[in-house]
Amino acid sequence: GEMWQNLLQSLPKDVSYFVVDLRGFGDSPRPAWHNYSAAGQARCLFRTYRKANFSGPLIIIGHSLGGLVAIEFAKRYRNLTKELILCSPPIYDQPAAPEERRKQEDFLRSIYQRISKDPAFIIKAYNIAQKIRIAHPSIVVEDDNIEMFIKTLYASIINQDTIKDIKNIRQQVTIINGLLDPLVVRRNLVNLQKTNSHIQLIDIPTSHAVNARYQKTILRAIAKSLSDKE
């Protein structure tokens, strides 16, 4: 939730919102029994929605893993979702056959699988990612939560069905992609825009983390959604 604080200060005064730490992150609990899949996170988000006593469909904004959770939420709770704004979503296709290898996402998957076997390396790499502004400084990866982080990597990123789910979504979807983002496969986003008329892709010259330029683009997407008729 901390990474959204600057954005929240720029929202229209009459907009109601709630901000979450996904399970395992920030101040949310980190139960060892949870598999940390996007489906499990979406169910937690639904319970938070109910507890917050909100009514009516939501504009759901999700960054990185949060984007995959937003898609899962929209699939499960269609009547509660007006629109998705997905920021740097790591949407990967299923592993390809040898003759159809997709170099970028096959490379990313292999990197994720290798580093997941070396928790100490993940912590060091994440600290570097924060310094070069690929990762937001509010998201901390350390000894206390590394097990949860690895479970999330496997359940939500490596073994995902998101590309199949988003093809069938009928709510409006705005995808914001940083052209300098090494973790996102832009080709997949372009293909999704071609196959689903409800998807709009916006490219901006930035990397993975939500910075000031990113926030301006998100705010424009929110304003457009609020101006559209129900």
Side-chain angles (χ1 to χ4, degrees):
E2 183 182 335
M3 67 177 290
W4 298 110
Q5 294 308 308
N6 289 337
L7 178 76
L8 298 179
Q9 295 174 15
S10 300
L11 288 177
K13 300 303 181 183
D14 59 343
V15 169
S16 298
Y17 60 83
F18 66 94
V19 184
V20 302
D21 290 342
L22 293 179
R23 173 164 280 187
F25 294 87
D27 293 328
S28 287
R30 303 169 185 169
W33 52 264
H34 200 274
N35 67 1
Y36 295 97
S37 65
Q41 295 280 16
R43 289 193 291 269
C44 291
L45 181 59
F46 172 72
R47 288 196 289 270
T48 302
Y49 167 87
R50 293 283 299 272
K51 189 174 181 179
N53 292 320
F54 270 71
S55 61
L58 303 169
I59 301 171
I60 304 179
I61 306 170
H63 172 258
S64 196
L65 166 66
L68 307 188
V69 175
I71 294 167
E72 184 71 29
F73 186 94
K75 180 185 77 172
R76 291 172 173 269
Y77 312 107
R78 296 180 182 179
N79 293 336
L80 300 182
T81 309
K82 176 186 177 184
E83 181 172 344
L84 303 181
I85 299 176
L86 311 178
C87 310
S88 300
I91 298 175
Y92 304 148
D93 209 340
Q94 295 299 310
E99 67 274 11
E100 300 174 344
R101 293 188 68 81
R102 295 176 286 269
K103 291 184 179 179
Q104 184 182 357
E105 54 198 310
D106 287 345
F107 173 75
L108 287 170
R109 283 180 190 274
S110 67
I111 290 295
Y112 295 151
Q113 289 170 341
R114 289 177 185 176
I115 66 174
S116 65
K117 299 174 183 178
D118 189 348
F121 178 79
I122 293 179
I123 295 172
K124 291 179 181 178
Y126 206 85
N127 288 335
I128 293 173
Q130 288 182 322
K131 291 179 181 178
I132 62 177
R133 299 183 180 181
I134 292 176
H136 195 275
S138 66
I139 303 175
V140 178
V141 180
E142 52 193 3
D143 290 337
D144 290 344
N145 66 350
I146 188 62
E147 182 179 354
M148 175 280 304
F149 191 86
I150 292 174
K151 284 184 177 181
T152 300
L153 192 61
Y154 267 104
S156 296
I157 306 297
I158 296 174
N159 301 311
Q160 61 170 275
D161 293 320
T162 306
I163 202 163
K164 177 182 67 177
D165 295 334
I166 194 173
K167 286 180 179 178
N168 298 318
I169 280 184
R170 291 296 170 262
Q171 297 94 335
Q172 182 63 35
V173 179
T174 299
I175 300 178
I176 304 173
N177 171 60
L179 290 172
L180 306 178
D181 191 337
L183 305 180
V184 172
V185 181
R186 184 177 182 274
R187 179 187 64 250
N188 289 345
L189 308 183
V190 171
N191 289 338
L192 286 170
Q193 182 175 230
K194 292 177 180 178
T195 58
N196 187 335
S197 61
H198 298 278
I199 295 175
Q200 178 191 14
L201 174 62
I202 300 175
D203 288 319
I204 57 176
T206 188
S207 186
H208 191 73
V210 175
N211 54 21
R213 183 191 297 272
Y214 221 130
Q215 290 177 15
K216 290 179 181 179
T217 308
I218 296 171
L219 288 169
R220 285 196 293 269
I222 294 173
K224 183 180 183 302
S225 180
L226 293 174
S227 66
D228 291 341
K229 293 181 178 180
E230 295 288 346

